[in-house]
């Protein structure tokens, strides 16, 4: 089914968007950017429920290697996986599909009734059918589409050449039944990467190996990627611990001070996400029009247009030098 | 502007025998010619190829007429032009020497009857010139083929698209709105015109986590999300298809045909409002 026929809009893949989706699904988890896989960075974010690796190949790279099975530590397809695994049936739904593959394998997941119903309805189905059920789920599609810019001026269906703003490819790594699993909606089955030890970092240690091995299989500079962590929302935990300390008269000691810092960081992050989502979802047509009219009335539109023409010519000249396609 | 021939093919007329369902072919040699007239309307003309006289000139509204085969007539080359708006019926029969081109002519005719801005598509190997001889040298106007097209045909197609409806082909853009609505251009404007800022508040997202202010507005115009929206709108304008949308902004339809046209219309709108204010 084409993206246009499916009614699923392409969404951005940033933590604020994912967290908003989780909220609308009634799941008290958040998604954060991971800038590093080192133990200290990850420890600060525990408990982490799943890692999401998103990437796209850059134009100059060669044909895709299939590095999932190259980590050498007994990675193999698991066609008999009893947990949740759905195929990606519509490209634009890729972000939500990855989230579903992660959430579907978290035991005792707190969630809203619609999500619970969806998971129980799809019990025992094969991956393709699950993918189709997810894709035809109206309420889920609406929750997904609510994250993207309004479709009043959607470019779908206008037949414009696709730019490199295409969808990322999403892969979920998480623990299931004592092993680290890889869920890739474009692969036929989940991939089992082997057992992990409960002690210390737990499954994260194994997952780190797998992800680093994967990244290493791509030629230098050929990959654009991000790592995200799906984790429990720390805000209520910080708040209740702080209250505990304050009630015990320890509101001024170092633990409380540290918690205040974390609380303040979390809050400003949420505010930033709320701001970005608000701007992202808004139809800016009226604003754009009003800004241009204001520029015109102030006599600034003509000079700005002249400047814009010059900039465009410079840009075209630079790209011709470098030999790039303008529509990139 | 003289009439432009969109397509043409050899065809004779046929007439219903009074009181019966029989349709008699008239043996006169003719041609059906589809033209965009000087009146900007779509004309279907039947010209007698022997006398060169136009004996039928029908004005057709988009989607109203269709050219349908009459299967009951032997030979399989009889068609009727029918209308959803009336009971009019005009009968024709294909006169091209080769029956193999009938489908192509009829398909393209119906395409254009449905939407006069459609460009007919001709199969490779068939000449891109309509078979019927017409005094309008309109043959180049119907050239369009998906693959195996020569550079000359591509050039013809490009100029055809440009001449048709003010559509600018997807070539290199002259300027982008993203280079106009920059913080460098807008922040000084907010400073020099402080009244502008609160006047813009109603256009801001209604669910911002903080109250609107000049600082918030600066954050918005610098944000990747707003810049993406401008880029989105810029690309949509370049398709030339936003005529309907821009009417909602009080602009003429012409403003939706491209970025330059949009900016011109804004300039006009701003001057008009200024004039009103000084009355």
């Amino acid at each position: 089914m084409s993206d246009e026929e499916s009614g699923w809009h392409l969404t951005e893949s940033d933590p604020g968007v994912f967290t908003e989706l989780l909220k609308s699904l009634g799941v008290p988890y958040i998604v954060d950017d991971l800038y590093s896989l080192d133990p200290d960075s990850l420890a600060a974010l525990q408990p982490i429920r799943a890692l999401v690796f998103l990437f796209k190949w850059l134009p100059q790279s060669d044909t895709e290697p299939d590095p999932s099975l190259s980590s050498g530590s007994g990675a193999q397809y698991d066609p008999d996986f009893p947990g949740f695994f759905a195929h990606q049936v519509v490209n634009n739904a890729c972000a939500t599909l990855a989230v579903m593959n992660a959430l579907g394998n978290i035991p005792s997941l707190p969630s809203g009734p619609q999500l619970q119903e969806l998971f129980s309805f799809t019990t025992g189905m094969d991956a393709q059918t699950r993918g189709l059920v997810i894709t035809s789920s109206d309420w889920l599609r609406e929750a997904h589409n609510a994250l993207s810019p309004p479709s009043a001026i959607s470019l779908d269906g206008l037949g414009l050449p696709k730019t490199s703003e295409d969808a990322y490819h999403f892969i979920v790594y998480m623990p299931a039944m004592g092993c680290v699993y890889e869920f890739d909606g474009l692969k036929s089955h989940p991939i089992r990467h082997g057992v992990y030890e409960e002690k210390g970092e737990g499954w994260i240690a194994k997952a780190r190996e797998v992800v680093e091995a994967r990244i290493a299989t791509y030629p230098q500079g050929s990959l654009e990627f991000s790592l995200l962590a799906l984790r429990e929302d720390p805000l209520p935990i910080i708040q209740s611990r702080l209250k505990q300390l304050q009630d015990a008269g320890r509101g001024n000691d170092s633990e409380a001070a540290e918690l205040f810092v974390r609380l303040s960081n979390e809050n400003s992050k949420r505010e930033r996400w709320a701001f970005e989502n608000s701007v992202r979802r808004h139809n800016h047509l009226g604003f754009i029009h009003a800004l241009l009219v204001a520029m015109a009335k102030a006599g600034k539109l003509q000079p700005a247009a002249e400047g814009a023409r010059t900039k465009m010519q410079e840009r075209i000249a630079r790209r011709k030098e470098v030999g790039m396609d303008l529509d990139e | 502007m003289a009439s432009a021939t969109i397509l043409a093919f050899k065809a004779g007329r046929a007439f219903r025998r009074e009181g019966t369902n029989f349709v008699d072919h008239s043996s006169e040699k003719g041609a059906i010619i589809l033209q965009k007239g000087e009146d900007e309307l779509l004309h279907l003309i039947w010209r007698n190829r022997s006398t060169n006289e136009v004996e039928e000139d029908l004005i057709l509204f988009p989607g109203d007429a269709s050219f349908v085969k009459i299967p009951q007539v032997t030979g399989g080359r009889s068609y009727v032009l029918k209308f959803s708006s009336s009971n009019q019926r005009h009968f024709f029969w294909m006169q091209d020497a080769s029956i193999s081109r009938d489908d192509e002519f009829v398909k393209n005719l119906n395409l254009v009857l449905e939407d006069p801005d459609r460009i007919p598509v001709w199969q490779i190997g068939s000449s891109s010139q309509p078979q019927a001889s017409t005094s309008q040298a309109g043959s180049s106007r119907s050239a369009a083929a998906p693959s195996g097209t020569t550079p000359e045909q591509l050039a013809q197609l490009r100029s055809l698209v440009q001449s048709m409806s003010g559509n600018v082909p997807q070539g290199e853009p002259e300027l982008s709105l993203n280079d106009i609505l920059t913080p460098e251009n807008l922040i000084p404007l907010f400073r020099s015109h402080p009244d502008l800022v609160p006047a813009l508040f109603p256009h801001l997202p209604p669910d911002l986590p903080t109250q609107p202010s000049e600082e918030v507005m600066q954050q918005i115009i610098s944000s990747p999300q707003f810049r993406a929206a401008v880029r989105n709108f810029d690309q949509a304008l370049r398709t030339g298809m936003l005529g309907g949308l821009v009417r909602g902004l009080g602009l003429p339809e012409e403003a939706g045909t491209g970025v330059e046209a949009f900016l011109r219309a804004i300039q006009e709108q701003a001057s008009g409002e200024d004039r009103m204010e000084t009355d």
Side-chain angles (χ1 to χ4, degrees):
Chain A
M1 181 190 292
S2 77
D3 284 326
E4 286 147 29
E5 291 164 340
S6 71
W8 287 76
H9 301 164
L10 189 61
T11 54
E12 276 175 66
S13 330
D14 90 17
V17 171
F18 276 109
T19 302
E20 192 63 29
L21 177 67
L22 291 173
K23 212 194 301 189
S24 64
L25 296 175
V27 174
Y29 291 1
I30 67 168
V31 173
D32 269 319
D33 270 321
L34 278 178
Y35 299 105
S36 150
L37 279 176
D38 73 64
D40 290 335
S41 309
L42 292 183
L45 302 173
Q46 290 279 28
I48 298 178
R49 294 289 179 204
L51 291 180
V52 182
F53 176 54
L54 45 141
F55 64 100
K56 62 184 178 191
W57 296 283
L58 302 174
Q60 58 265 30
S61 66
D62 288 331
T63 53
E64 171 204 352
D66 182 3
S68 297
L69 307 178
S70 65
S71 67
S73 53
Q76 43 182 263
Y77 281 113
D78 185 357
D80 301 314
F81 179 69
F84 185 91
F85 178 62
H87 281 163
Q88 180 179 305
V89 168
V90 168
N91 274 344
N92 283 356
C94 52
T96 296
L97 183 94
V99 168
M100 296 299 285
N101 276 334
L103 296 179
N105 290 297
I106 295 176
S108 322
L109 175 82
S111 80
Q114 284 165 313
L115 187 62
Q116 283 178 2
E117 216 181 279
L118 184 60
F119 281 142
S120 80
F121 179 71
T122 54
T123 310
M125 288 183 178
D126 65 272
Q128 185 69 9
T129 309
R130 277 208 186 95
L132 289 168
V133 170
I134 287 175
T135 307
S136 26
S137 169
D138 288 338
W139 68 270
L140 187 60
R141 188 188 63 236
E142 277 164 26
H144 168 101
N145 286 345
L147 309 165
S148 64
S151 59
I153 33 179
S154 161
L155 298 179
D156 283 339
L158 290 181
L160 289 173
K162 290 265 183 195
T163 67
S164 62
E165 286 293 332
D166 279 337
Y168 278 87
H169 187 175
F170 288 76
I171 303 194
V172 174
Y173 295 94
M174 64 188 291
M177 294 160 327
C179 292
V180 168
Y181 269 87
E182 172 181 330
F183 299 118
D184 177 346
L186 294 180
K187 293 247 163 73
S188 48
H189 306 290
I191 293 168
R192 187 175 59 234
H193 282 282
V195 295
Y196 63 89
E197 295 188 356
E198 284 289 353
K199 68 177 202 290
E201 281 187 296
W203 71 277
I204 287 284
K206 179 94 188 138
R208 175 190 297 117
E209 269 173 40
V210 173
V211 174
E212 285 178 348
R214 171 119 194 193
I215 293 173
T217 61
Y218 293 91
Q220 274 271 31
S222 70
L223 202 69
E224 208 178 282
F225 71 89
S226 278
L227 277 167
L228 303 173
L230 176 72
R231 56 192 279 243
E232 287 182 20
D233 189 348
L235 212 48
I237 300 172
I238 297 173
Q239 284 164 335
S240 75
R241 179 68 185 142
L242 259 177
K243 182 160 190 321
Q244 245 178 12
L245 290 175
Q246 281 163 343
D247 288 347
R250 291 176 50 203
N252 286 325
D253 76 13
S254 60
E255 187 190 342
E258 204 188 294
L259 285 173
F260 264 119
V261 171
R262 286 178 60 196
L263 181 67
S264 149
N265 287 341
E266 284 294 327
N267 279 332
S268 37
K269 184 174 67 184
R270 309 300 162 104
E271 195 176 299
R272 180 167 51 86
W273 284 346
F275 172 80
E276 288 170 0
N277 281 335
S278 163
V279 179
R280 181 180 288 124
R281 287 188 295 229
H282 184 62
N283 184 338
H284 292 278
L285 188 59
F287 188 40
I288 290 171
H289 175 239
L291 284 170
L292 290 171
V293 170
M295 285 179 84
K297 284 191 180 171
K300 299 277 201 300
L301 188 57
Q302 304 269 43
E306 282 308 311
R309 264 182 215 106
T310 308
K311 267 196 194 163
M312 184 57 81
Q313 282 162 8
E314 288 169 0
R315 199 175 286 134
I316 292 173
R318 264 201 311 272
R319 289 192 186 209
K320 283 209 167 107
E321 269 173 51
V322 180
M324 284 167 71
D325 177 1
L326 188 66
D327 272 325
E328 206 162 287
Chain B
M1 184 190 101
S3 302
T5 298
I6 299 168
L7 60 81
F9 52 88
K10 293 181 189 153
R13 291 184 300 176
F15 303 92
R16 198 200 292 258
R17 210 185 290 173
E18 277 267 341
T20 72
N21 274 334
F22 285 118
V23 167
D24 294 325
H25 288 180
S26 157
S27 57
E28 283 170 309
K29 292 188 188 158
I32 285 178
I33 301 160
L34 203 58
Q35 283 185 342
K36 200 167 194 179
E38 290 173 281
D39 50 4
E40 296 287 340
L41 298 171
L42 190 63
H43 291 251
L44 188 139
I45 284 169
W46 188 83
R47 169 192 266 123
N48 187 314
R49 277 188 285 136
S50 311
T51 66
N52 255 349
E53 303 258 85
V54 170
E55 297 188 19
E56 201 94 66
D57 185 353
L58 304 165
I59 291 181
L60 304 175
F61 294 102
D64 187 36
S66 56
F67 198 71
V68 178
K69 190 186 273 214
I70 311 170
Q72 305 91 317
V73 180
T74 50
R77 301 187 79 187
S78 300
Y79 292 79
V80 58
L81 182 72
K82 33 197 238 183
F83 300 81
S84 45
S85 62
S86 75
N87 283 328
Q88 266 193 92
R89 295 274 183 276
H90 295 267
F91 300 93
F92 298 93
W93 57 285
M94 307 297 270
Q95 288 180 335
D96 192 279
S98 162
I99 194 178
S100 61
R101 297 204 67 201
D102 283 0
D103 283 351
E104 195 180 40
F105 285 132
V106 172
K107 192 159 134 201
N108 280 319
L109 178 60
N110 279 318
L111 264 182
V112 180
L113 289 181
E114 180 63 34
D115 176 6
D117 290 331
R118 292 293 294 271
I119 299 172
V121 178
W122 306 102
Q123 284 292 69
I124 305 154
S126 66
S127 91
S128 60
Q129 308 207 11
Q131 295 288 63
S133 60
T134 78
S135 54
Q136 271 92 5
S139 57
S140 63
R141 293 180 183 274
S142 47
S147 58
T149 317
T150 67
E152 298 80 51
Q153 285 171 318
L154 274 178
Q156 280 173 357
L157 174 59
R158 203 163 272 142
S159 66
L160 171 66
V161 169
Q162 271 176 311
S163 68
M164 270 195 161
S165 51
N167 253 337
V168 178
Q170 291 279 336
E172 289 169 358
E174 297 255 323
L175 82 171
S176 159
L177 286 180
N178 284 91
D179 293 324
I180 293 181
L181 292 171
T182 59
E184 296 77 44
N185 284 337
L186 290 170
I187 293 180
L189 184 67
F190 296 156
R191 296 269 155 77
S192 61
H193 294 67
D195 289 345
L196 176 60
V197 171
L200 290 170
F201 286 173
H203 295 291
L204 298 184
D207 57 351
L208 285 170
T210 50
Q211 291 280 44
S213 66
E214 182 173 337
E215 196 192 321
V216 168
M217 209 171 316
Q218 285 181 18
Q219 281 177 332
I220 291 175
I221 59 179
S222 314
S223 73
Q225 292 77 30
F226 175 69
R227 301 197 62 67
V230 175
R231 193 167 45 239
N232 209 289
F233 181 56
D234 182 271
Q235 276 195 289
L237 265 179
R238 287 196 223 153
T239 65
M241 295 198 271
L242 295 192
L245 187 77
V246 301
R247 295 257 299 281
L249 301 171
L251 297 169
E253 252 186 67
E254 218 268 325
T257 59
V259 178
E260 303 262 17
F262 186 69
L263 293 175
R264 271 197 304 273
I266 297 251
Q267 192 66 62
E268 292 235 355
Q269 193 178 49
S271 316
E273 283 180 20
D274 277 342
R275 273 198 296 273
M276 279 165 62
E277 280 162 21
T278 59
D279 276 349

